[in-house]
Amino acid sequence: MRTLTVDSLNPAIKNVQYAVRGELAIKAEKYRVDLKDANHGLPFDKVISSNIGNPQQKGLDQPPITFTRQVAALTEWPALADLAPGVFPKDVVARAKELSEEIGSIGAYSHSQGVPLIRKSVAKFIEERDGYPSDPNQIFLTAGASAGVTLFINMLITPPNSGILIPIPQYPLYTATLAQYNGIGLPYYLDESSGWSTSVASIEAALEKAQKEGVAAKALVIINPGNPTGAVLDETTQEELVKLCEKHSLVLLADEVYQANLHQPEKYTFTSFKKVVSRLQSPVPLVSFHSISKGVSGECGRRGGYFECTNFSEEIIALIYKMVSIGLCPPVSGQIGVDCMVRPPKAGDESYELWKKETDTTHAALKSRTRTMAARLNALPGVFCVDSPGALYLFPQITLSAKVQEVARAAGKEPDAFYSLALLDETGICVVPGSGFGQKEGEWHYRLTCLCPGVDEYVGKLEKFHKGFVEKYGL
Ligand SMILES: Cc1ncc(COP(=O)(O)O)c(C=O)c1O
């Protein structure tokens, strides 16, 4: 028998890279284990997970919403409502009963497209948000937004010469999945000097380059609000982007998982692409992704999300259905999480006051941390940080001297990875180097989340490290 080797596997797998859980995160995990030993000898006593937008991760402090967890508890074990009379608010009991009657046991496979009642709730949420109709038959519930994005990349890519326009910097799900399906990432650059704005000109330039190289562009990915940038698009730009998709026959993949994470709502509001496409009566095929992982929900581990298709033929919807049915169904507990996100308690419901208090507290914490962190980062020598109006991250640019670059290269590292490793080794703070998201040649960044409690202590450590680093290597 021949031994199984890496070379006998699908070669596309070797090209996949996913920095958010890469070298830094693996080393941070090791430090976490080492810290359990009283004689660990490390210069810090805890690891700070600033590398991933996982709001409920141990050590981060975004609590789950009580309403969501209570509905989850009663749908897991419906008998609990009678065993614990008076413990659960009336609206929770009613919601759980409604869902249980529709679903039956949550241990059974559901409809492959998602529970029809929950898809109706999603359609109603979209209609109320946008003021335009939404059809539950065009909505698919998913195991997080990732599952939907992966499905569309798989469906759209026709190797060897087709690609998808992706923003740089981008969330590495896109480059990783494109690599997996032999698709080509067609980078267009966001403009850091104007708050990481998106411009039609930069996308046109990427399209021109693709055409010269013989690559067919199939779709345009827009992440709004952005990851890692936190930028929020204005409606004029969104209209221009829709028209650009019309002009070049592109499918618009709108990743809107951070739509509820807005830190400057007086200045930056979220408008969905569904609303813009509907208002323009555009024929552009649009897929809009949403998730229970972010926002104030933060239920990453429950794996729930949805996508809505607009301007897709019945034939394609049938093909999508065929593809999702191979996976049988999205997790039913995740689907219930989606119902709670799109149908939260209303004023007058018994759960409303607590729900409002919990969501307000989370919004306020994210807003104040983002602001404090951006201001303090900007005060550091050689650091420039856009004060993100959305999402869960900051993406500061750092100036790294020729000396750092030389030492880093000699160690076989990208200079920003070298900086980030030194930060982890000295402080226990785990961030993701900008090279994992893509950046302009010769620029260096890192991404950190705004989810860590104790900002003063945390940013204080970061400042001390940065000043020492600059002293050692110069600017
Ligand atoms: C822009 C973006 N899209 C999609 C996802 C995936 O989220 P989910 O947990 O819903 O799969 C993430 C997760 O961080 C993200 O940042």
Side-chain angles (χ1 to χ4, degrees):
M1 188 189 157
R2 260 178 286 129
T3 34
L4 181 66
T5 63
V6 168
D7 289 336
S8 59
L9 303 178
N10 176 351
I13 303 293
K14 272 204 263 181
N15 299 329
V16 171
Q17 288 188 17
Y18 191 66
V20 175
R21 295 204 172 211
E23 182 188 6
L24 269 287
I26 292 165
K27 196 167 191 193
E29 254 348 286
K30 185 182 171 302
Y31 280 154
R32 220 185 292 279
V33 175
D34 292 350
L35 284 170
K36 290 191 179 140
D37 182 342
N39 302 316
H40 56 70
L42 292 167
F44 47 85
D45 56 11
K46 66 174 178 232
V47 169
I48 300 173
S49 308
S50 202
N51 57 312
I52 189 160
N54 187 9
Q56 294 181 27
Q57 178 161 329
K58 236 176 165 178
L60 305 182
D61 77 342
Q62 187 169 315
I65 291 176
T66 304
F67 174 78
T68 307
R69 289 303 179 89
Q70 287 177 330
V71 172
L74 292 186
T75 47
E76 286 284 337
W77 192 24
L80 192 55
D82 292 330
L83 290 170
V87 167
F88 294 92
K90 285 189 201 63
D91 54 330
V92 166
V93 174
R95 176 71 58 87
K97 189 160 177 278
E98 184 190 5
L99 288 167
S100 292
E101 277 171 11
E102 167 86 6
I103 297 168
S105 166
I106 78 155
Y109 294 130
S110 73
H111 190 299
S112 293
Q113 194 167 346
V115 172
L117 174 81
I118 302 179
R119 281 189 282 122
K120 271 192 208 149
S121 303
V122 173
K124 192 155 177 277
F125 159 79
I126 294 171
E127 285 182 0
E128 282 168 7
R129 183 193 64 191
D130 297 340
Y132 289 95
S134 170
D135 177 357
N137 293 324
Q138 309 293 309
I139 291 166
F140 289 74
L141 303 185
T142 55
S146 308
V149 169
T150 304
L151 172 72
F152 276 91
I153 291 179
N154 184 10
M155 288 187 40
L156 287 166
I157 289 297
T158 49
N161 288 321
S162 73
I164 292 183
L165 290 148
I166 50 170
I168 295 295
Q170 53 102 36
Y171 172 57
L173 165 67
Y174 292 94
T175 36
T177 314
L178 278 164
Q180 190 182 343
Y181 290 106
N182 291 305
I184 299 169
L186 305 170
Y188 65 90
Y189 288 85
L190 306 178
D191 181 6
E192 186 170 15
S193 67
S194 58
W196 292 114
S197 64
T198 303
S199 83
V200 166
S202 75
I203 302 173
E204 289 280 10
L207 279 164
E208 210 171 292
K209 185 163 178 284
Q211 204 183 8
K212 275 196 197 127
E213 291 167 0
V215 180
K218 302 299 259 315
L220 168 67
V221 171
I222 302 281
I223 309 176
N224 180 42
N227 175 7
T229 64
V232 179
L233 287 178
D234 60 80
E235 288 190 37
T236 311
T237 306
Q238 288 181 275
E239 287 186 4
E240 287 170 7
L241 293 169
V242 169
K243 287 182 184 144
L244 176 123
C245 288
E246 284 178 16
K247 180 172 156 201
H248 295 280
S249 299
L250 297 168
V251 176
L252 179 51
L253 300 176
D255 183 331
E256 299 176 335
V257 301
Y258 296 103
Q259 61 187 270
N261 292 116
L262 300 166
H263 316 309
Q264 301 171 34
E266 60 299 336
K267 213 162 136 200
Y268 296 92
T269 51
F270 169 78
T271 303
S272 73
F273 269 103
K274 168 73 184 302
K275 182 171 180 181
V276 176
V277 163
S278 304
R279 187 172 59 217
L280 295 176
Q281 297 186 335
S282 166
V284 161
L286 163 72
V287 193
S288 316
F289 302 94
H290 195 12
S291 169
I292 62 169
S293 299
K294 315 295 169 181
V296 285
S297 157
E299 295 279 353
C300 294
R302 213 167 272 278
R303 309 310 294 134
Y306 72 81
F307 61 81
E308 181 189 28
C309 299
T310 308
N311 294 327
F312 276 64
S313 69
E314 267 180 38
E315 209 181 348
I316 297 182
I317 294 291
L319 275 179
I320 296 171
Y321 181 78
K322 180 177 80 177
M323 293 306 291
V324 299
S325 66
I326 301 172
L328 298 164
C329 71
V332 178
S333 52
Q335 298 185 52
I336 290 167
V338 171
D339 190 81
C340 294
M341 175 179 76
V342 298
R343 216 166 31 130
K346 290 192 293 295
D349 292 348
E350 200 179 330
S351 298
Y352 180 76
E353 290 304 325
L354 180 60
W355 174 85
K356 178 91 176 72
K357 186 166 155 247
E358 288 174 343
T359 52
D360 284 352
T361 305
T362 294
H363 281 305
L366 286 170
K367 176 179 174 166
S368 95
R369 269 186 222 138
T370 307
R371 292 233 125 153
T372 308
M373 284 165 61
R376 286 180 56 178
L377 284 165
N378 274 320
L380 289 173
V383 178
F384 168 68
C385 181
V386 171
D387 180 7
S388 302
L392 304 174
Y393 317 97
L394 289 172
F395 196 57
Q397 182 176 156
I398 42 174
T399 307
L400 295 175
S401 66
K403 191 169 163 199
V404 181
Q405 294 182 43
E406 194 187 312
V407 178
R409 304 270 187 231
K413 305 275 175 224
E414 285 294 323
D416 49 8
F418 179 79
Y419 177 96
S420 306
L421 277 165
L423 174 68
L424 174 64
D425 291 342
E426 199 173 310
T427 64
I429 299 173
C430 182
V431 299
V432 188
S435 34
F437 303 93
Q439 57 202 342
K440 281 189 185 149
E441 188 72 31
E443 287 188 353
W444 313 110
H445 298 80
Y446 63 91
R447 186 191 81 170
L448 72 172
T449 72
C450 308
L451 291 161
C452 303
V455 170
D456 275 328
E457 183 203 347
Y458 159 51
V459 184
K461 282 185 181 179
L462 217 153
E463 287 165 338
K464 186 162 168 266
F465 162 79
H466 183 81
K467 286 177 188 159
F469 193 89
V470 168
E471 218 162 87
K472 186 165 172 191
Y473 294 105
L475 262 184

